[in-house]
Amino acid sequence: MKNLFLLPIAAAAALGLAACSETAQNETGEAANAIATDVETTVSEAASDVEAASEQAFGAAENGIDQAGQSLENAGDRSEAAADNAARETGEEVEKVGRDMQR
């Protein structure tokens, strides 16, 4: 008896599947292709955005490092000039003391 009850349900299911026309199937396939294309485009754009942001970040980091290097070089130059000035002034004072001692 169960089989007799399942037979009309199976027939209805078969008719339902058969009712999907080729046009409906084509439209479904086209919609799936459009979705896949949209996803591919979105992923590609996201990858491009990430790459551009990475390049910008690396460029900013490189500029920061260059500026830090230049600042260190400038500080070294100023330190060297200050040391030279101190040595010159010390030498002048030593000479002055030496002259004063000779008098």
Side-chain angles (χ1 to χ4, degrees), residues 92-103:
E92 290 173 358
E93 290 298 318
V94 169
E95 287 178 8
K96 182 180 175 186
V97 169
R99 282 192 302 271
D100 287 345
M101 289 177 72
Q102 289 179 352
R103 288 189 198 164

Side-chain angles (χ1 to χ4, degrees), residues 48-69:
S48 295
D49 291 346
V50 168
E51 184 177 351
S54 296
E55 287 177 11
Q56 184 178 9
F58 288 136
E62 185 177 23
N63 288 340
I65 290 170
D66 288 345
Q67 289 175 356

Side-chain angles (χ1 to χ4, degrees), residues 23-95:
T23 303
Q25 291 174 356
N26 287 342
E27 288 174 358
T28 302
E30 289 171 4
N33 288 340
I35 290 170
T37 300
D38 287 347
V39 168
E40 182 179 344
T41 301
T42 301
V43 168
S44 177
E45 289 174 358
S48 295
D49 291 346
V50 168
E51 184 177 351
S54 296
E55 287 177 11
Q56 184 178 9
F58 288 136
E62 185 177 23
N63 288 340
I65 290 170
D66 288 345
Q67 289 175 356
Q70 188 62 47
S71 293
L72 288 173
E73 185 176 335
N74 292 343
D77 290 346
R78 287 191 304 272
S79 294
E80 183 179 2
D84 289 345
N85 190 34
R88 182 185 49 75
E89 288 177 359
T90 301
E92 290 173 358
E93 290 298 318
V94 169
E95 287 178 8

